Amino acid sequence: MMTKLGYTVFKRVTTARLLRKICLLALTVPLLASSAISLATAKEKEYEDENESYVIGLWGDLPYSDLQATKGVPNLIADMNAQNLAFTVHDGDLKAGNSTPGSVTPTTCSNALYTQGLGYFNALKAPAAFTPGDNDWTDCDRPSNGGFNSRDRLDYERQVFFSTSFSLGQRRLRQEVQKTPLCLSANGTGVPCVENRRWTVGKVTYATLNIQGSCNNLCDTAPDPQEYAARNAANIAWMKETFQIAKSQKSVAVMFISQGDPGWDLTDGTRAPLRDPKTLAETDGQPDGFQSFLLALRDQVIAFRKPIAYVHGDSHYYRVDKPFLDAQGRRLENFTRVETFGDNAANGTNDVNWVKATVNPCSREVFSYQPQIVPGNRVAVPSP
């Protein structure tokens, strides 16, 4: 059953039950074993104030260096914790694409990397959602990252971050999980894509999708077409089902969160694959791990008619725009792409920031966005 919370109820149940349960984090890593966690478990009938506005936090592609891990991200988390957020979402990449020789924080795909990430998420006061990134699983087969099996690392992430139907964070939000065994494990068996999640707050439906950079696992060190095909079919099914749920609940908007930047047009080859915006076919000669998903998404966007936000990372460049066109070359007016801030390791904590999204179910566009430049992370122009 889809979990749906009015925001007033959401705030009440996630705060009043702070001491209701002590969750021992024994996921395979002995971290924060005594953390007090409250669970948002409001019954679906407890709808009220569904029209109330609320704020969420979006971030990703962090940390990429020791400085970002020890200073930048803690500063960012403190900045989020100082604000009244309904929930946060990290859109993937817990590390850089390659390890850093001599680093004092985890920069390969060892188990310690995921322990560090879990610590960040559970330091957030608000419920913390997460979707994996290519640097923390598909690219783990690079020698510089330890030469791990990519599927094995995703299996491990599923154990660490997705072993329950709740989000992470000091307050927790119940989520719907994709339980059909459509994805492939390291041993080749079908397993649930438990990283694909869905939840509703107020009148807006949210969903995460495991869509990756590095051609969505079709290029780089060890391409895996079988894994891609299975996961891509799962993502398309989850996306379509999310629209069905949103329609049945009369949601006023949908937000998807994934990691990879699929490329939307021919304008920005420095940050994304080049793509014919009408046919959605990739034009740069690289394996195309996105076209079939984008074609299915476009059909659903047109049919839904209401506002849709698509949040991703990967390209490390904050922007809010409308790059999605129909087959005739007309802009899809109800679709907005939001890319979160990401690493700028050459300049330390320079881009270790986040995006505040205000959700107003009564407004025409529903979502509005404001970049949050963390004062302690300013480098070029220090905070006054």
Side-chain angles (χ1 to χ4, degrees), residues 308-340:
I308 297 155
Y310 192 95
V311 179
H312 67 77
D314 195 21
S315 303
H316 304 185
Y317 184 69
Y318 167 68
R319 51 186 160 180
V320 179
D321 61 6
K322 291 184 173 292
F324 213 7
L325 306 184
D326 71 6
Q328 299 180 56
R330 300 174 300 187
R331 197 168 309 284
L332 299 181
E333 298 96 339
N334 62 325
F335 181 92
T336 301
R337 179 263 296 272
V338 181
E339 183 168 357
T340 53

PDB file of all heavy atoms in Angstrom, residues 308-340:
ATOM      1  N   ILE A 308       6.171  17.921 -13.472  1.00  0.00           N
ATOM      2  CA  ILE A 308       7.087  16.817 -13.216  1.00  0.00           C
ATOM      3  C   ILE A 308       8.481  17.399 -13.054  1.00  0.00           C
ATOM      4  O   ILE A 308       8.949  18.168 -13.908  1.00  0.00           O
ATOM      5  CB  ILE A 308       7.078  15.801 -14.365  1.00  0.00           C
ATOM      6  CG1 ILE A 308       5.690  15.165 -14.492  1.00  0.00           C
ATOM      7  CG2 ILE A 308       8.138  14.732 -14.166  1.00  0.00           C
ATOM      8  CD1 ILE A 308       5.395  14.651 -15.868  1.00  0.00           C
ATOM      9  N   ALA A 309       9.152  17.021 -11.966  1.00  0.00           N
ATOM     10  CA  ALA A 309      10.550  17.391 -11.758  1.00  0.00           C
ATOM     11  C   ALA A 309      11.405  16.145 -11.899  1.00  0.00           C
ATOM     12  O   ALA A 309      11.048  15.078 -11.394  1.00  0.00           O
ATOM     13  CB  ALA A 309      10.740  18.005 -10.378  1.00  0.00           C
ATOM     14  N   TYR A 310      12.525  16.289 -12.606  1.00  0.00           N
ATOM     15  CA  TYR A 310      13.472  15.180 -12.747  1.00  0.00           C
ATOM     16  C   TYR A 310      14.806  15.660 -12.195  1.00  0.00           C
ATOM     17  O   TYR A 310      15.467  16.523 -12.786  1.00  0.00           O
ATOM     18  CB  TYR A 310      13.610  14.772 -14.212  1.00  0.00           C
ATOM     19  CG  TYR A 310      14.332  13.459 -14.403  1.00  0.00           C
ATOM     20  CD1 TYR A 310      13.625  12.268 -14.534  1.00  0.00           C
ATOM     21  CD2 TYR A 310      15.720  13.409 -14.453  1.00  0.00           C
ATOM     22  CE1 TYR A 310      14.290  11.061 -14.703  1.00  0.00           C
ATOM     23  CE2 TYR A 310      16.388  12.215 -14.621  1.00  0.00           C
ATOM     24  CZ  TYR A 310      15.667  11.040 -14.745  1.00  0.00           C
ATOM     25  OH  TYR A 310      16.331   9.845 -14.899  1.00  0.00           O
ATOM     26  N   VAL A 311      15.179  15.119 -11.034  1.00  0.00           N
ATOM     27  CA  VAL A 311      16.384  15.552 -10.326  1.00  0.00           C
ATOM     28  C   VAL A 311      17.501  14.548 -10.586  1.00  0.00           C
ATOM     29  O   VAL A 311      17.296  13.332 -10.464  1.00  0.00           O
ATOM     30  CB  VAL A 311      16.109  15.648  -8.809  1.00  0.00           C
ATOM     31  CG1 VAL A 311      17.376  16.066  -8.061  1.00  0.00           C
ATOM     32  CG2 VAL A 311      14.966  16.623  -8.531  1.00  0.00           C
ATOM     33  N   HIS A 312      18.687  15.044 -10.949  1.00  0.00           N
ATOM     34  CA  HIS A 312      19.830  14.154 -11.103  1.00  0.00           C
ATOM     35  C   HIS A 312      21.111  14.896 -10.745  1.00  0.00           C
ATOM     36  O   HIS A 312      21.126  16.120 -10.551  1.00  0.00           O
ATOM     37  CB  HIS A 312      19.912  13.595 -12.531  1.00  0.00           C
ATOM     38  CG  HIS A 312      20.216  14.614 -13.594  1.00  0.00           C
ATOM     39  ND1 HIS A 312      21.469  15.121 -13.810  1.00  0.00           N
ATOM     40  CD2 HIS A 312      19.411  15.207 -14.513  1.00  0.00           C
ATOM     41  CE1 HIS A 312      21.444  15.978 -14.812  1.00  0.00           C
ATOM     42  NE2 HIS A 312      20.190  16.069 -15.253  1.00  0.00           N
ATOM     43  N   GLY A 313      22.187  14.140 -10.662  1.00  0.00           N
ATOM     44  CA  GLY A 313      23.512  14.698 -10.443  1.00  0.00           C
ATOM     45  C   GLY A 313      24.376  14.393 -11.645  1.00  0.00           C
ATOM     46  O   GLY A 313      24.004  14.629 -12.774  1.00  0.00           O
ATOM     47  N   ASP A 314      25.594  13.855 -11.387  1.00  0.00           N
ATOM     48  CA  ASP A 314      26.482  13.306 -12.403  1.00  0.00           C
ATOM     49  C   ASP A 314      27.351  14.345 -13.082  1.00  0.00           C
ATOM     50  O   ASP A 314      28.552  14.146 -13.239  1.00  0.00           O
ATOM     51  CB  ASP A 314      25.673  12.520 -13.444  1.00  0.00           C
ATOM     52  CG  ASP A 314      26.509  11.614 -14.320  1.00  0.00           C
ATOM     53  OD1 ASP A 314      27.634  11.268 -13.916  1.00  0.00           O
ATOM     54  OD2 ASP A 314      26.027  11.235 -15.400  1.00  0.00           O
ATOM     55  N   SER A 315      26.784  15.471 -13.500  1.00  0.00           N
ATOM     56  CA  SER A 315      27.546  16.461 -14.270  1.00  0.00           C
ATOM     57  C   SER A 315      28.123  17.580 -13.405  1.00  0.00           C
ATOM     58  O   SER A 315      28.854  18.433 -13.907  1.00  0.00           O
ATOM     59  CB  SER A 315      26.665  17.083 -15.364  1.00  0.00           C
ATOM     60  OG  SER A 315      26.148  16.089 -16.211  1.00  0.00           O
ATOM     61  N   HIS A 316      27.752  17.606 -12.132  1.00  0.00           N
ATOM     62  CA  HIS A 316      28.353  18.533 -11.169  1.00  0.00           C
ATOM     63  C   HIS A 316      28.131  19.997 -11.545  1.00  0.00           C
ATOM     64  O   HIS A 316      29.030  20.823 -11.425  1.00  0.00           O
ATOM     65  CB  HIS A 316      29.859  18.291 -11.027  1.00  0.00           C
ATOM     66  CG  HIS A 316      30.234  16.894 -10.652  1.00  0.00           C
ATOM     67  ND1 HIS A 316      31.530  16.510 -10.375  1.00  0.00           N
ATOM     68  CD2 HIS A 316      29.484  15.770 -10.490  1.00  0.00           C
ATOM     69  CE1 HIS A 316      31.567  15.227 -10.075  1.00  0.00           C
ATOM     70  NE2 HIS A 316      30.324  14.759 -10.134  1.00  0.00           N
ATOM     71  N   TYR A 317      26.935  20.303 -11.969  1.00  0.00           N
ATOM     72  CA  TYR A 317      26.662  21.675 -12.389  1.00  0.00           C
ATOM     73  C   TYR A 317      25.228  22.023 -12.044  1.00  0.00           C
ATOM     74  O   TYR A 317      24.293  21.530 -12.676  1.00  0.00           O
ATOM     75  CB  TYR A 317      26.896  21.816 -13.904  1.00  0.00           C
ATOM     76  CG  TYR A 317      26.737  23.212 -14.433  1.00  0.00           C
ATOM     77  CD1 TYR A 317      27.652  24.207 -14.099  1.00  0.00           C
ATOM     78  CD2 TYR A 317      25.689  23.539 -15.277  1.00  0.00           C
ATOM     79  CE1 TYR A 317      27.511  25.493 -14.585  1.00  0.00           C
ATOM     80  CE2 TYR A 317      25.545  24.826 -15.775  1.00  0.00           C
ATOM     81  CZ  TYR A 317      26.456  25.805 -15.421  1.00  0.00           C
ATOM     82  OH  TYR A 317      26.319  27.075 -15.901  1.00  0.00           O
ATOM     83  N   TYR A 318      25.051  22.893 -11.055  1.00  0.00           N
ATOM     84  CA  TYR A 318      23.701  23.257 -10.629  1.00  0.00           C
ATOM     85  C   TYR A 318      22.961  23.965 -11.755  1.00  0.00           C
ATOM     86  O   TYR A 318      23.445  24.931 -12.339  1.00  0.00           O
ATOM     87  CB  TYR A 318      23.753  24.173  -9.403  1.00  0.00           C
ATOM     88  CG  TYR A 318      22.423  24.835  -9.121  1.00  0.00           C
ATOM     89  CD1 TYR A 318      21.336  24.078  -8.690  1.00  0.00           C
ATOM     90  CD2 TYR A 318      22.238  26.200  -9.332  1.00  0.00           C
ATOM     91  CE1 TYR A 318      20.103  24.667  -8.456  1.00  0.00           C
ATOM     92  CE2 TYR A 318      21.014  26.795  -9.093  1.00  0.00           C
ATOM     93  CZ  TYR A 318      19.947  26.030  -8.659  1.00  0.00           C
ATOM     94  OH  TYR A 318      18.727  26.606  -8.439  1.00  0.00           O
ATOM     95  N   ARG A 319      21.768  23.471 -12.060  1.00  0.00           N
ATOM     96  CA  ARG A 319      20.932  24.135 -13.064  1.00  0.00           C
ATOM     97  C   ARG A 319      19.494  23.646 -12.932  1.00  0.00           C
ATOM     98  O   ARG A 319      19.221  22.524 -12.504  1.00  0.00           O
ATOM     99  CB  ARG A 319      21.435  23.884 -14.481  1.00  0.00           C
ATOM    100  CG  ARG A 319      21.677  22.436 -14.827  1.00  0.00           C
ATOM    101  CD  ARG A 319      22.310  22.299 -16.198  1.00  0.00           C
ATOM    102  NE  ARG A 319      22.971  21.024 -16.359  1.00  0.00           N
ATOM    103  CZ  ARG A 319      23.608  20.645 -17.459  1.00  0.00           C
ATOM    104  NH1 ARG A 319      23.662  21.452 -18.495  1.00  0.00           N
ATOM    105  NH2 ARG A 319      24.206  19.473 -17.531  1.00  0.00           N
ATOM    106  N   VAL A 320      18.596  24.524 -13.339  1.00  0.00           N
ATOM    107  CA  VAL A 320      17.161  24.226 -13.396  1.00  0.00           C
ATOM    108  C   VAL A 320      16.712  24.692 -14.776  1.00  0.00           C
ATOM    109  O   VAL A 320      16.799  25.877 -15.099  1.00  0.00           O
ATOM    110  CB  VAL A 320      16.389  24.966 -12.292  1.00  0.00           C
ATOM    111  CG1 VAL A 320      14.896  24.664 -12.398  1.00  0.00           C
ATOM    112  CG2 VAL A 320      16.915  24.581 -10.914  1.00  0.00           C
ATOM    113  N   ASP A 321      16.262  23.757 -15.622  1.00  0.00           N
ATOM    114  CA  ASP A 321      15.898  24.137 -16.979  1.00  0.00           C
ATOM    115  C   ASP A 321      14.845  23.187 -17.541  1.00  0.00           C
ATOM    116  O   ASP A 321      14.333  22.317 -16.837  1.00  0.00           O
ATOM    117  CB  ASP A 321      17.136  24.210 -17.887  1.00  0.00           C
ATOM    118  CG  ASP A 321      17.869  22.876 -18.005  1.00  0.00           C
ATOM    119  OD1 ASP A 321      17.373  21.852 -17.488  1.00  0.00           O
ATOM    120  OD2 ASP A 321      18.948  22.846 -18.637  1.00  0.00           O
ATOM    121  N   LYS A 322      14.527  23.371 -18.799  1.00  0.00           N
ATOM    122  CA  LYS A 322      13.485  22.570 -19.465  1.00  0.00           C
ATOM    123  C   LYS A 322      14.032  22.041 -20.790  1.00  0.00           C
ATOM    124  O   LYS A 322      13.709  22.559 -21.861  1.00  0.00           O
ATOM    125  CB  LYS A 322      12.223  23.418 -19.666  1.00  0.00           C
ATOM    126  CG  LYS A 322      11.511  23.761 -18.360  1.00  0.00           C
ATOM    127  CD  LYS A 322      10.225  24.501 -18.602  1.00  0.00           C
ATOM    128  CE  LYS A 322       9.435  24.684 -17.300  1.00  0.00           C
ATOM    129  NZ  LYS A 322       8.910  23.415 -16.765  1.00  0.00           N
ATOM    130  N   PRO A 323      14.846  20.979 -20.745  1.00  0.00           N
ATOM    131  CA  PRO A 323      15.526  20.505 -21.948  1.00  0.00           C
ATOM    132  C   PRO A 323      14.783  19.415 -22.713  1.00  0.00           C
ATOM    133  O   PRO A 323      15.281  18.956 -23.748  1.00  0.00           O
ATOM    134  CB  PRO A 323      16.822  19.923 -21.376  1.00  0.00           C
ATOM    135  CG  PRO A 323      16.382  19.341 -20.061  1.00  0.00           C
ATOM    136  CD  PRO A 323      15.329  20.286 -19.525  1.00  0.00           C
ATOM    137  N   PHE A 324      13.611  18.994 -22.232  1.00  0.00           N
ATOM    138  CA  PHE A 324      12.921  17.836 -22.802  1.00  0.00           C
ATOM    139  C   PHE A 324      11.947  18.302 -23.883  1.00  0.00           C
ATOM    140  O   PHE A 324      11.074  19.142 -23.631  1.00  0.00           O
ATOM    141  CB  PHE A 324      12.169  17.119 -21.682  1.00  0.00           C
ATOM    142  CG  PHE A 324      12.072  15.624 -21.835  1.00  0.00           C
ATOM    143  CD1 PHE A 324      12.742  14.937 -22.821  1.00  0.00           C
ATOM    144  CD2 PHE A 324      11.274  14.897 -20.952  1.00  0.00           C
ATOM    145  CE1 PHE A 324      12.647  13.557 -22.930  1.00  0.00           C
ATOM    146  CE2 PHE A 324      11.170  13.519 -21.037  1.00  0.00           C
ATOM    147  CZ  PHE A 324      11.859  12.839 -22.030  1.00  0.00           C
ATOM    148  N   LEU A 325      12.094  17.750 -25.116  1.00  0.00           N
ATOM    149  CA  LEU A 325      11.233  18.112 -26.241  1.00  0.00           C
ATOM    150  C   LEU A 325      10.395  16.914 -26.667  1.00  0.00           C
ATOM    151  O   LEU A 325      10.764  15.763 -26.436  1.00  0.00           O
ATOM    152  CB  LEU A 325      12.072  18.582 -27.428  1.00  0.00           C
ATOM    153  CG  LEU A 325      13.073  19.704 -27.204  1.00  0.00           C
ATOM    154  CD1 LEU A 325      13.725  20.075 -28.530  1.00  0.00           C
ATOM    155  CD2 LEU A 325      12.428  20.917 -26.554  1.00  0.00           C
ATOM    156  N   ASP A 326       9.274  17.202 -27.322  1.00  0.00           N
ATOM    157  CA  ASP A 326       8.481  16.105 -27.890  1.00  0.00           C
ATOM    158  C   ASP A 326       9.038  15.741 -29.265  1.00  0.00           C
ATOM    159  O   ASP A 326      10.021  16.323 -29.741  1.00  0.00           O
ATOM    160  CB  ASP A 326       6.991  16.446 -27.922  1.00  0.00           C
ATOM    161  CG  ASP A 326       6.616  17.504 -28.953  1.00  0.00           C
ATOM    162  OD1 ASP A 326       7.487  17.929 -29.751  1.00  0.00           O
ATOM    163  OD2 ASP A 326       5.436  17.915 -28.977  1.00  0.00           O
ATOM    164  N   ALA A 327       8.426  14.759 -29.922  1.00  0.00           N
ATOM    165  CA  ALA A 327       8.945  14.260 -31.193  1.00  0.00           C
ATOM    166  C   ALA A 327       8.877  15.300 -32.303  1.00  0.00           C
ATOM    167  O   ALA A 327       9.532  15.150 -33.342  1.00  0.00           O
ATOM    168  CB  ALA A 327       8.176  13.004 -31.596  1.00  0.00           C
ATOM    169  N   GLN A 328       8.106  16.355 -32.081  1.00  0.00           N
ATOM    170  CA  GLN A 328       8.020  17.437 -33.068  1.00  0.00           C
ATOM    171  C   GLN A 328       8.952  18.596 -32.738  1.00  0.00           C
ATOM    172  O   GLN A 328       8.965  19.611 -33.440  1.00  0.00           O
ATOM    173  CB  GLN A 328       6.575  17.953 -33.153  1.00  0.00           C
ATOM    174  CG  GLN A 328       5.579  16.895 -33.597  1.00  0.00           C
ATOM    175  CD  GLN A 328       4.171  17.447 -33.673  1.00  0.00           C
ATOM    176  OE1 GLN A 328       3.909  18.430 -34.362  1.00  0.00           O
ATOM    177  NE2 GLN A 328       3.241  16.812 -32.959  1.00  0.00           N
ATOM    178  N   GLY A 329       9.692  18.464 -31.651  1.00  0.00           N
ATOM    179  CA  GLY A 329      10.625  19.504 -31.269  1.00  0.00           C
ATOM    180  C   GLY A 329      10.035  20.584 -30.398  1.00  0.00           C
ATOM    181  O   GLY A 329      10.645  21.642 -30.220  1.00  0.00           O
ATOM    182  N   ARG A 330       8.864  20.340 -29.827  1.00  0.00           N
ATOM    183  CA  ARG A 330       8.222  21.319 -28.946  1.00  0.00           C
ATOM    184  C   ARG A 330       8.596  21.019 -27.494  1.00  0.00           C
ATOM    185  O   ARG A 330       8.618  19.878 -27.066  1.00  0.00           O
ATOM    186  CB  ARG A 330       6.705  21.268 -29.124  1.00  0.00           C
ATOM    187  CG  ARG A 330       6.253  21.569 -30.542  1.00  0.00           C
ATOM    188  CD  ARG A 330       4.762  21.362 -30.717  1.00  0.00           C
ATOM    189  NE  ARG A 330       4.357  19.991 -30.429  1.00  0.00           N
ATOM    190  CZ  ARG A 330       3.136  19.511 -30.623  1.00  0.00           C
ATOM    191  NH1 ARG A 330       2.188  20.304 -31.102  1.00  0.00           N
ATOM    192  NH2 ARG A 330       2.859  18.255 -30.336  1.00  0.00           N
ATOM    193  N   ARG A 331       8.872  22.077 -26.746  1.00  0.00           N
ATOM    194  CA  ARG A 331       9.271  21.911 -25.353  1.00  0.00           C
ATOM    195  C   ARG A 331       8.116  21.346 -24.521  1.00  0.00           C
ATOM    196  O   ARG A 331       6.971  21.784 -24.652  1.00  0.00           O
ATOM    197  CB  ARG A 331       9.703  23.268 -24.788  1.00  0.00           C
ATOM    198  CG  ARG A 331      10.527  23.158 -23.503  1.00  0.00           C
ATOM    199  CD  ARG A 331      11.171  24.492 -23.170  1.00  0.00           C
ATOM    200  NE  ARG A 331      11.889  25.053 -24.305  1.00  0.00           N
ATOM    201  CZ  ARG A 331      13.085  24.631 -24.727  1.00  0.00           C
ATOM    202  NH1 ARG A 331      13.684  23.628 -24.109  1.00  0.00           N
ATOM    203  NH2 ARG A 331      13.660  25.195 -25.763  1.00  0.00           N
ATOM    204  N   LEU A 332       8.442  20.395 -23.663  1.00  0.00           N
ATOM    205  CA  LEU A 332       7.442  19.842 -22.748  1.00  0.00           C
ATOM    206  C   LEU A 332       7.319  20.798 -21.562  1.00  0.00           C
ATOM    207  O   LEU A 332       8.160  20.821 -20.660  1.00  0.00           O
ATOM    208  CB  LEU A 332       7.849  18.441 -22.288  1.00  0.00           C
ATOM    209  CG  LEU A 332       7.988  17.398 -23.406  1.00  0.00           C
ATOM    210  CD1 LEU A 332       8.368  16.042 -22.825  1.00  0.00           C
ATOM    211  CD2 LEU A 332       6.705  17.297 -24.222  1.00  0.00           C
ATOM    212  N   GLU A 333       6.267  21.583 -21.577  1.00  0.00           N
ATOM    213  CA  GLU A 333       6.143  22.682 -20.615  1.00  0.00           C
ATOM    214  C   GLU A 333       6.022  22.223 -19.169  1.00  0.00           C
ATOM    215  O   GLU A 333       6.365  22.960 -18.252  1.00  0.00           O
ATOM    216  CB  GLU A 333       4.929  23.553 -20.971  1.00  0.00           C
ATOM    217  CG  GLU A 333       5.003  24.234 -22.328  1.00  0.00           C
ATOM    218  CD  GLU A 333       4.296  23.460 -23.413  1.00  0.00           C
ATOM    219  OE1 GLU A 333       4.092  22.233 -23.238  1.00  0.00           O
ATOM    220  OE2 GLU A 333       3.928  24.078 -24.433  1.00  0.00           O
ATOM    221  N   ASN A 334       5.538  21.006 -18.944  1.00  0.00           N
ATOM    222  CA  ASN A 334       5.295  20.553 -17.578  1.00  0.00           C
ATOM    223  C   ASN A 334       6.487  19.804 -16.983  1.00  0.00           C
ATOM    224  O   ASN A 334       6.419  19.302 -15.872  1.00  0.00           O
ATOM    225  CB  ASN A 334       4.062  19.644 -17.515  1.00  0.00           C
ATOM    226  CG  ASN A 334       4.202  18.376 -18.336  1.00  0.00           C
ATOM    227  OD1 ASN A 334       4.827  18.383 -19.399  1.00  0.00           O
ATOM    228  ND2 ASN A 334       3.611  17.285 -17.862  1.00  0.00           N
ATOM    229  N   PHE A 335       7.608  19.753 -17.707  1.00  0.00           N
ATOM    230  CA  PHE A 335       8.780  18.992 -17.269  1.00  0.00           C
ATOM    231  C   PHE A 335       9.925  19.935 -16.938  1.00  0.00           C
ATOM    232  O   PHE A 335      10.281  20.810 -17.740  1.00  0.00           O
ATOM    233  CB  PHE A 335       9.220  18.017 -18.369  1.00  0.00           C
ATOM    234  CG  PHE A 335      10.408  17.164 -18.003  1.00  0.00           C
ATOM    235  CD1 PHE A 335      10.234  15.915 -17.433  1.00  0.00           C
ATOM    236  CD2 PHE A 335      11.699  17.613 -18.240  1.00  0.00           C
ATOM    237  CE1 PHE A 335      11.328  15.125 -17.101  1.00  0.00           C
ATOM    238  CE2 PHE A 335      12.808  16.833 -17.908  1.00  0.00           C
ATOM    239  CZ  PHE A 335      12.613  15.587 -17.344  1.00  0.00           C
ATOM    240  N   THR A 336      10.531  19.739 -15.759  1.00  0.00           N
ATOM    241  CA  THR A 336      11.684  20.539 -15.342  1.00  0.00           C
ATOM    242  C   THR A 336      12.808  19.619 -14.893  1.00  0.00           C
ATOM    243  O   THR A 336      12.599  18.726 -14.071  1.00  0.00           O
ATOM    244  CB  THR A 336      11.325  21.483 -14.187  1.00  0.00           C
ATOM    245  OG1 THR A 336      10.260  22.348 -14.599  1.00  0.00           O
ATOM    246  CG2 THR A 336      12.519  22.323 -13.763  1.00  0.00           C
ATOM    247  N   ARG A 337      13.999  19.854 -15.442  1.00  0.00           N
ATOM    248  CA  ARG A 337      15.194  19.133 -14.986  1.00  0.00           C
ATOM    249  C   ARG A 337      15.882  19.955 -13.901  1.00  0.00           C
ATOM    250  O   ARG A 337      16.068  21.175 -14.057  1.00  0.00           O
ATOM    251  CB  ARG A 337      16.151  18.913 -16.158  1.00  0.00           C
ATOM    252  CG  ARG A 337      17.450  18.177 -15.755  1.00  0.00           C
ATOM    253  CD  ARG A 337      18.607  19.136 -15.501  1.00  0.00           C
ATOM    254  NE  ARG A 337      18.989  19.865 -16.679  1.00  0.00           N
ATOM    255  CZ  ARG A 337      19.883  19.416 -17.560  1.00  0.00           C
ATOM    256  NH1 ARG A 337      20.467  18.251 -17.387  1.00  0.00           N
ATOM    257  NH2 ARG A 337      20.196  20.163 -18.611  1.00  0.00           N
ATOM    258  N   VAL A 338      16.265  19.297 -12.818  1.00  0.00           N
ATOM    259  CA  VAL A 338      17.005  19.939 -11.737  1.00  0.00           C
ATOM    260  C   VAL A 338      18.292  19.154 -11.538  1.00  0.00           C
ATOM    261  O   VAL A 338      18.253  17.960 -11.229  1.00  0.00           O
ATOM    262  CB  VAL A 338      16.208  19.956 -10.424  1.00  0.00           C
ATOM    263  CG1 VAL A 338      17.005  20.663  -9.325  1.00  0.00           C
ATOM    264  CG2 VAL A 338      14.846  20.613 -10.624  1.00  0.00           C
ATOM    265  N   GLU A 339      19.424  19.810 -11.734  1.00  0.00           N
ATOM    266  CA  GLU A 339      20.702  19.155 -11.440  1.00  0.00           C
ATOM    267  C   GLU A 339      21.285  19.747 -10.173  1.00  0.00           C
ATOM    268  O   GLU A 339      21.381  20.972 -10.029  1.00  0.00           O
ATOM    269  CB  GLU A 339      21.690  19.301 -12.596  1.00  0.00           C
ATOM    270  CG  GLU A 339      22.985  18.566 -12.309  1.00  0.00           C
ATOM    271  CD  GLU A 339      23.890  18.430 -13.525  1.00  0.00           C
ATOM    272  OE1 GLU A 339      23.503  18.860 -14.617  1.00  0.00           O
ATOM    273  OE2 GLU A 339      25.002  17.884 -13.361  1.00  0.00           O
ATOM    274  N   THR A 340      21.680  18.880  -9.258  1.00  0.00           N
ATOM    275  CA  THR A 340      22.222  19.328  -7.987  1.00  0.00           C
ATOM    276  C   THR A 340      23.686  19.726  -8.123  1.00  0.00           C
ATOM    277  O   THR A 340      24.359  19.396  -9.097  1.00  0.00           O
ATOM    278  CB  THR A 340      22.087  18.221  -6.935  1.00  0.00           C
ATOM    279  OG1 THR A 340      22.664  17.008  -7.433  1.00  0.00           O
ATOM    280  CG2 THR A 340      20.622  17.961  -6.605  1.00  0.00           C
TER     281      THR A 340
END
